[in-house]
Structure formats: structure tokens, C-alpha cells
Amino acid sequence: MQVWSDYQDTNKEKFLEELKELLRIPSVSAQETHNADTAKCAEAVKQSLLKAGCDSVEICETAGHPIVFGQKFVDASLPTILTYGHYDVQPAEPLELWTNGPFDPVVIDGKIYARGACDDKGQMYMHVKALEIMNATNTLQCNVKFIIEGEEEVGSTNLGKFLEDYKEQLKADVVLVSDTSMISMEHPSIETGLRGLAYMEVEVVGPNRDLHSGVYGGAVANPITILSKMIASLHDENNHITVQGFYDKVVALTEAERVALNKAPFDLKEYTDELGIEEDWGEKGYTALERTGVRPTLELNGMWGGYIGEGAKTVLPSKANAKISMRLVPNQNSHEIAELFTAHFNKIAPNCVKVTVTEHHGGEPVVTPTDSIAYKAAEKAIATTFGKDPIPTRGGGSIPIIALFEKILGLKTVLMGFGLDNDNIHSPNEKFDVANYYKGIETIPYFHKYFAEMKK
Ligand code: BES
Ligand code: MN
Ligand code: MN
């Protein structure tokens, strides 16, 4: 619509400057030293929502970081869109790998670099600006509610309780989220599923203290060696996961679904080249798209033990540790998988060591419908602004709260993400293409429009 594009054209620079302001706040949810920053960021989000046109915005304190809850009521006859996003970001470390400071946003070659540029401040803020556009041009076609939380990157531990407590106030017709990726500007796509997550930590303890590796080595098990062997055994020669019962509940795709999934434009050579690897890797019998979308995985996220300082120290360490996470697909359950993993890891431990397994936060996998009004509205909105129908894909990442929107609020979600897989989210030099940011802002009002029209 002309009024929308006029408003956006006039305010382009402002929209970018405001995002930069938000990116300057180091709202790292995992680090307590940043607690004042997360609070400051929540306040900044609140102010931005009020300025964009919300009638009321509450900062809801939780046992952790606050949740920002905003509302704009237009008319009782209109449908309500509940937009979800997060203002917290991943830690920026290792800092030395950033070309520019992680909280000192810069635009280079049409890309804005900063922690949170894509995940999720940039994408969340598109919705705030879309609201501003619709409000300023008097073209709001839906009632709007916003939940912008500050704990997504640490497992959304307190958001479930908030959903229970605010069930009445959160009544809506659909949840709209921009916190995922699309294939490219040339091939817009919509993720129609997310994987779940079971996150474990293991400790392997051998002797009761660190030992001289010459005096004792040979007669006492080295916990790092034992842990390495145990970890190596978690995948077999076909890269299947060996945890007993792991695949029992996995729903296999039909042949037709596999064919459809693999129709998405994907060039394996480009993929490996961009990552600087000779070859891809993974579960035998599945394509890279299947392995990252619809198959479960097990990854080592960290491993430590022994001496890692300067020079050499001949030590036989007392213990070794690892963080291991599993991405889950329908119908796996994160707690069941955590239990299976714990039982398996204890079982494969030799008697020469003691093993402790603990479970961190997790989340359940989701599949979002493609035959709903909301999905069709998103499809049409993207087709309008990109000039091309979006391709449905399956995302490899996780957003644990999506399953709870359905369980607690009875609401389905549309994952209308505008990031790209190579935006370096969670990595150094995270970026978001400015063109994607503007495209998102342009597309969201159309979603509101088509959703309202199709709901009639
Ligand atoms: N936005 C991501 C999830 C994502 C990214 C989904 C790209 C699809 C495509 C989210 O912020 C995230 O990083 N989630 C975590 C899980 C959380 C419990 C820490 C993840 O996927 O590791
Ligand atoms: Mn995110
Ligand atoms: Mn993230």
C-alpha cells in the first residue's frame, strides 16, 4: 500500500538508527553482570512500543529477566495477532574474533553487524516499526499484542508461568514470530517446524586428585580418554545415534514429504565452500536438508579437562566434562530423551570411573500448519513484497516457547523469519542485511491485512 511505503521511505534512516540504539544495549541474558542491561533493554522496548502506538505496555517482572507485554486494541470485531520476540542476546565471546565491537553496531556493505542484529533484536524490532507504520497511517486491521521476553537464549524458564498467569490477557487468534531464517532474498521461505532440544552435562571422575602422569599413568584410567571414548561411541559408523531407544518415537517422513523437502533450492557445493569444509557429514541415508531439518542430532557443545594453559604439564587429571545437546523432532520428548541419554551414558561407563549426568533446559519440537488462514496470510504477504511464493522449509533451530503457546494458550504459530542461515547468529560478527530488515517491516503490515481479510 502506498501510504505504508511512503511512510517507510520517509523514515528509513530513523528505523535503522533506532535499531542501532537497541543493539548498543548489551542485554546478555546468560551473564549476571549484564542484569542492569537486560532491565534497561526491557525499558527501551517498552518505550518503543508506546511510541509505535501501543495503548499500554507493562514490564512484567519474573524470577529472571522481565517480560515486556504490550497491547494495542483497535476493535472487538477484529482478529488479534500476538507477536512474540526476544530482546535478550547470546554472550558475545570470544570478543577477539569480532571485527567491530559486538555492541557497537556498524553498517558495512548493506549489513548491520552487532550481537542481536538478527537474533532477535533486528527481527523483533521489525514488528515494532510495522506497528508504527500501521498506527501512523490509521490502517491497523487487527488488534495487536506483544510479548517480548528476555530469557529466550537461556531457555525461557519463566515464560511458561507468565503464559499461565496472563492466559486471559493473552487471548489471540494466532502467534506471529520472526526469529527464524529464510533461504535467501531470491528464494523467500517460511519455516514450518522447529526442532526440540535436550541439553545435558556430563562429568567423568577417575582418581580422587590430579596425578603425575608418569608416576601413575598406565595403571589409572584417564578420565579424558574414557570420556572421549564414550563420546565417540555415541555415533555409529553410519553416524546414527547409539543412545538406546533414541529413535523409537521419531516420525519418519513419507516419501512425498521427503521429495517436497528436498525441492528447496540448496547447493551442497556452495554450502561446504562457504563453511570452508571439504565435505558435509551426517546420518547415512539422508540429505543435508533432512539432517538439519527433520532428523534428530547429537552434538558436543563443549568439552574440558586437564591442563590447557601455556606450555606442557604432565598431568593425569582427576576429571573430565562435556556439554552435549540433542536436537529433537516430532514425536520425541525432551525429558524422555534426557532419561534415555542418562541411562545409556551410565551404562556405557567403565568401572574405573564415576559418571554424573545432569539435565539443563530443553524444549519440545513443533510443526506449524501450512493449511491455516495465518499461514496463507503469511504466504500472500511474502508473495506481495517479494514477488514470489515462499517455500515451506523445516528449521533446525529451537524456540522452546512455541510448543507452550499451543499447550497453554491453544494458539498456533507462524514463523515468518527474515534472517539468513549465514547471519552468524550466536557467532562472532553476527549481522542482519539491512534489506532484509526493511523487507520484514514492509511485509508485516500485509500479514495483518490479509489475516484480517481472510478471517472475515
Ligand atoms: N532464534 C533462535 C532459533 C532459530 C534460529 C530457529 C535460526 C531457526 C533458525 C533462538 O534464539 C535460539 O537460538 N534458540 C536456541 C535454543 C535456546 C533454548 C537456547 C537454539 O536453537 O539453540
Ligand atoms: Mn532467537
Ligand atoms: Mn538465539
Side-chain angles (χ1 to χ4, degrees):
M1 288 219 302
Q2 194 68 40
V3 280
W4 292 341
S5 49
D6 285 350
Y7 189 93
Q8 187 165 349
D9 283 349
T10 315
N11 290 282
K12 263 193 150 157
E13 289 307 314
K14 184 186 82 125
F15 286 1
L16 195 57
E17 284 312 310
E18 287 175 1
L19 173 58
K20 282 191 190 165
E21 274 301 304
L22 206 60
L23 292 170
R24 286 191 189 105
I25 308 172
S27 49
V28 181
S29 50
Q31 299 169 339
E32 258 178 54
T33 49
H34 284 296
N35 281 0
D37 298 310
T38 49
K40 186 177 162 194
C41 198
E43 184 60 34
V45 171
K46 172 182 170 171
Q47 292 310 325
S48 74
L49 281 168
L50 283 171
K51 265 202 244 158
C54 276
D55 309 321
S56 65
V57 184
E58 257 182 85
I59 291 196
C60 307
E61 296 301 332
T62 71
H65 302 297
I67 295 162
V68 185
F69 174 43
Q71 285 176 275
K72 170 77 189 172
F73 178 78
V74 185
D75 192 292
S77 67
L78 299 176
T80 301
I81 296 173
L82 176 59
T83 296
Y84 162 83
H86 61 95
Y87 67 79
D88 66 318
V89 298
Q90 284 277 323
E93 286 80 4
L95 299 178
E96 65 278 11
L97 297 183
W98 286 76
T99 309
N100 283 284
F103 301 106
D104 185 10
V106 283
V107 177
I108 301 169
D109 288 340
K111 299 166 180 62
I112 182 159
Y113 288 86
R115 171 57 86 231
C118 172
D119 185 13
D120 178 43
K121 284 176 179 169
Q123 295 207 65
M124 171 271 284
Y125 205 63
M126 299 180 316
H127 291 266
V128 181
K129 293 300 97 180
L131 171 66
E132 176 181 329
I133 293 177
M134 293 184 283
N135 187 57
T137 55
N138 254 310
T139 50
L140 266 163
Q141 326 223 4
C142 294
N143 301 307
V144 187
K145 295 179 183 178
F146 276 86
I147 302 177
I148 312 297
E149 71 152 318
E151 294 190 302
E152 198 279 339
E153 300 292 8
V154 289
S156 302
T157 8
N158 296 294
L159 190 55
K161 181 176 184 303
F162 174 83
L163 298 186
E164 298 277 6
D165 293 349
Y166 279 68
K167 220 169 168 167
E168 271 309 301
Q169 292 99 306
L170 293 173
K171 277 203 170 135
D173 294 278
V174 70
V175 179
L176 180 61
V177 179
S178 296
D179 192 23
T180 51
S181 11
M182 53 176 210
I183 300 170
S184 65
M185 279 298 230
E186 295 69 45
H187 300 290
S189 60
I190 298 178
E191 290 190 10
T192 59
L194 291 167
R195 290 194 284 189
L197 186 68
Y199 204 117
M200 316 299 293
E201 184 160 338
V202 299
E203 181 167 82
V204 172
V205 180
N208 57 11
R209 61 188 186 277
D210 282 6
L211 304 173
H212 187 291
S213 67
V215 175
Y216 288 96
V220 177
N222 184 318
I224 304 180
T225 310
I226 302 292
L227 177 59
S228 305
K229 284 194 180 187
M230 290 170 75
I231 286 172
S233 78
L234 295 176
H235 290 97
D236 70 11
E237 67 281 8
N238 293 320
N239 297 327
H240 287 295
I241 294 154
T242 58
V243 173
Q244 252 174 37
F246 185 79
Y247 292 101
D248 285 0
K249 294 199 173 166
V250 172
V251 183
L253 259 59
T254 63
E255 205 41 47
E257 283 173 317
R258 289 186 73 176
V259 169
L261 181 92
N262 286 299
K263 272 205 182 128
F266 177 78
D267 186 316
L268 189 58
K269 174 89 171 52
E270 251 174 50
Y271 184 79
T272 51
D273 281 355
E274 205 253 342
L275 295 172
I277 50 177
E278 280 299 316
E279 244 179 36
D280 67 326
W281 177 95
E283 195 185 357
K284 197 174 170 184
Y286 296 93
T287 64
L289 281 179
E290 290 171 325
R291 291 173 190 153
T292 53
V294 293
R295 295 298 295 171
T297 57
L298 181 150
E299 294 296 334
L300 263 283
N301 299 110
M303 200 173 164
W304 65 101
Y307 182 69
I308 53 168
E310 195 186 340
K313 179 187 179 192
T314 48
V315 63
L316 193 166
S318 163
K319 60 183 186 181
N321 302 69
K323 293 187 194 275
I324 302 173
S325 64
M326 291 158 280
R327 295 284 167 172
L328 313 178
V329 300
N331 288 327
Q332 290 175 302
N333 170 277
S334 65
H335 300 297
E336 276 173 30
I337 291 293
E339 269 176 31
L340 289 176
F341 178 89
T342 306
H344 180 85
F345 213 72
N346 279 309
K347 202 178 107 193
I348 62 173
N351 280 335
C352 53
V353 294
K354 282 188 215 68
V355 166
T356 326
V357 182
T358 47
E359 183 182 354
H360 287 283
H361 60 69
E364 306 314 322
V366 285
V367 173
T368 60
T370 50
D371 57 358
S372 65
I373 288 180
Y375 185 83
K376 296 214 157 79
E379 220 172 19
K380 193 169 169 192
I382 288 176
T384 303
T385 56
F386 285 78
K388 241 183 218 176
D389 279 343
I391 301 161
T393 62
R394 290 282 280 268
S398 309
I399 309 177
I401 202 62
I402 306 294
L404 295 185
F405 284 135
E406 175 143 23
K407 196 169 161 204
I408 300 173
L409 303 178
L411 292 177
K412 300 275 189 199
T413 296
V414 173
L415 299 164
M416 199 166 70
F418 295 89
L420 301 176
D421 276 347
N422 67 5
D423 278 341
N424 295 328
I425 64 172
H426 297 205
S427 307
N429 303 314
E430 178 175 350
K431 58 101 173 148
F432 192 30
D433 287 41
V434 176
N436 292 46
Y437 175 59
Y438 288 143
K439 211 48 159 179
I441 298 172
E442 188 189 337
T443 307
I444 292 160
Y446 282 102
F447 175 85
H448 285 237
K449 173 179 154 68
Y450 296 140
F451 186 63
E453 286 172 6
M454 293 178 188
K455 266 296 228 190
K456 268 185 195 149

